[in-house]
Amino acid sequence: MSDVDIKQKRLTIPEEEILSPGHLACQGCGASMALRYALKGLGRKTIMSIPACCWAVIDGPFPYSAAGVPIYHCAFETAASTASGISHALSQLGKDDITTLAWAGDGGTFDIGLQALSGAAERNDNLIYVVYDNEAYMNTGIQRSSATPHGAWTTTTPVKHYRKGQKKNIMGIMAAHYIPYCATANIAYPEDFIKKLQKAKSIKGAKFIHLFAPCPTGWKHPPDITVKVAKLATQCNVFPIYEIEGGIYRINRKIKNPKPVAEYLKLQGRFAHLKEDEVAYIQSEVDKNWNRLLKLEAAFGEEAEG
Ligand SMILES: Cc1ncc(C[n+]2csc(CCOP(=O)(O)OP(=O)(O)O)c2C)c(N)n1
Ligand code: SF4
Ligand SMILES: [Mg+2]
């Protein structure tokens, strides 16, 4: 496609690139796409806290860092409390036009940073917290977290002892804090993710986004199918896209004919050892979770627009 052809296409996300090329992520890293989109959504007037995680490395060393906005690199368990401090400091200085963004992995959120996150949510501190979920502790060599799904291989759940049990329901936990806004998003749907960030920016108080971000290195899939894998997760109802705004549940993307979960699993080496009965079990759990979400929407929601 020529430059002229590209210019004639209608852009569906902001054009400005705030994240520079030349960062240190692996090829096809879902987490790197994630921050590229997040900064497009929030703009340059953003200050981030990033705890120990892949993104603490991806950004690169100062003064060559890629993110293009100020980042406070904080301890593993403190993404939310650091963001709370930044947000309160900005408020004391009367700087109301700067967004505070906590940006952490699943290990730093579902596990070690949960207490700090709960505190920030309970205080309703004015910040956006995004967990980019790659379903394991990737930066230290693919160890299982409480976001690792049933059946997955990791280095601490090797094939003979693969991960058993459902991943933690982080959206349920955050919804139970009665914060003004919680949402799921997926790097395969950048328009939806950016819209949700912009909505979160317009709401005062604590906002939480659970973002699905495949990791080709840890999930053992080729780097050029990251977006396909991510999209399949939603098309199979493994990772539904919804939001909870002021207690109202809204499913943003209802899949008419969901694909079998087997299609999603078979693309990833981390599930290669699973036998038919395990795949059937995972399908039944996915169906159960989806039906539970439909019931929540029926009880506490309004019909989504499709
Ligand atoms: C208190 C503490 N414990 C352990 C570590 C080692 N550590 C650094 S990054 C990391 C993994 C982070 O996993 P996650 O939050 O899921 O982010 P990802 O690496 O997957 O992007 C660990 C265990 C640390 N830095 N500090
Ligand atoms: S290990 Fe995974 S999450 Fe980390 S930089 Fe590589 S692809 Fe991205
Ligand atoms: Mg992780």
Side-chain angles (χ1 to χ4, degrees):
M1 207 182 281
S2 73
D3 279 359
V4 177
D5 290 339
I6 291 170
K7 282 206 182 107
Q8 281 169 353
K9 295 262 176 220
R10 193 174 63 87
L11 287 174
T12 55
I13 58 175
E15 187 173 7
E16 189 185 12
E17 297 290 354
I18 297 176
L19 179 70
S20 307
H23 56 67
L24 303 179
C26 312
Q27 280 186 4
C29 172
S32 65
M33 298 176 206
L35 192 64
R36 178 175 171 232
Y37 298 143
L39 292 175
K40 278 175 179 278
L42 296 177
R44 287 186 188 274
K45 286 201 162 186
T46 301
I47 299 182
M48 299 177 70
S49 66
I50 299 188
C53 60
C54 273
W55 247 106
V57 178
I58 294 171
D59 187 40
F62 183 82
Y64 307 109
S65 50
V69 299
I71 296 178
Y72 192 122
H73 286 279
C74 58
F76 199 12
E77 62 277 28
T78 66
S81 46
T82 303
S84 291
I86 294 169
S87 169
H88 283 289
L90 288 170
S91 164
Q92 286 299 309
L93 294 169
K95 298 192 172 179
D96 294 334
D97 59 340
I98 300 176
T99 304
T100 305
L101 173 66
W103 184 263
D106 49 289
T109 302
F110 286 60
D111 299 334
I112 192 166
L114 192 58
Q115 183 184 6
L117 174 57
S118 177
E122 181 275 326
R123 294 187 300 272
N124 201 23
D125 285 338
N126 189 29
L127 53 88
I128 303 174
Y129 190 109
V130 175
V131 49
Y132 68 91
D133 184 4
N134 53 25
E135 303 192 320
Y137 294 77
M138 295 307 179
N139 185 46
T140 40
I142 323 173
Q143 294 87 18
R144 153 243 208 268
S145 75
S146 59
T148 304
H150 180 91
W153 162 92
T154 66
T155 53
T156 47
T157 50
V159 164
K160 274 196 186 158
H161 305 280
Y162 58 79
R163 160 82 155 120
K164 308 273 189 334
Q166 290 218 45
K167 63 189 281 172
K168 199 182 271 182
N169 178 0
I170 195 74
M171 282 288 283
I173 292 169
M174 295 316 294
H177 285 75
Y178 304 108
I179 55 176
Y181 188 67
C182 302
T184 66
N186 182 333
I187 56 109
Y189 302 103
E191 292 86 355
D192 174 77
F193 177 38
I194 287 172
K195 212 164 84 186
K196 284 172 172 167
L197 283 163
Q198 289 170 341
K199 184 187 277 191
K201 186 175 167 175
S202 74
I203 298 170
K204 209 159 170 61
K207 290 82 60 176
F208 178 80
I209 297 183
H210 180 194
L211 178 70
F212 193 76
C215 163
T217 306
W219 296 14
K220 308 283 174 216
H221 64 71
D224 58 341
I225 63 163
T226 299
V227 173
K228 182 178 176 178
V229 170
K231 201 170 265 187
L232 267 174
T234 293
Q235 289 171 335
C236 299
N237 284 340
V238 168
F239 192 87
I241 303 291
Y242 65 104
E243 59 191 347
I244 310 166
E245 192 178 349
I248 306 279
Y249 279 69
R250 196 177 300 120
I251 303 176
N252 309 108
R253 195 170 279 270
K254 282 185 181 153
I255 309 297
K256 280 211 178 85
N257 297 304
K259 296 191 176 174
V261 171
E263 280 194 34
Y264 167 72
L265 301 176
K266 77 177 180 209
L267 294 179
Q268 304 168 57
R270 64 177 175 152
F271 297 117
H273 52 277
L274 294 180
K275 306 247 173 356
E276 259 177 43
D277 57 334
E278 270 296 22
V279 173
Y281 171 73
I282 294 171
Q283 180 71 64
S284 71
E285 289 298 306
V286 165
D287 293 344
K288 238 190 263 173
N289 286 341
W290 174 249
N291 287 327
R292 195 176 294 136
L293 184 59
L294 286 176
K295 281 184 190 151
L296 281 168
E297 190 193 44
F300 306 107
E302 53 195 17
E303 269 298 307
E305 285 175 5

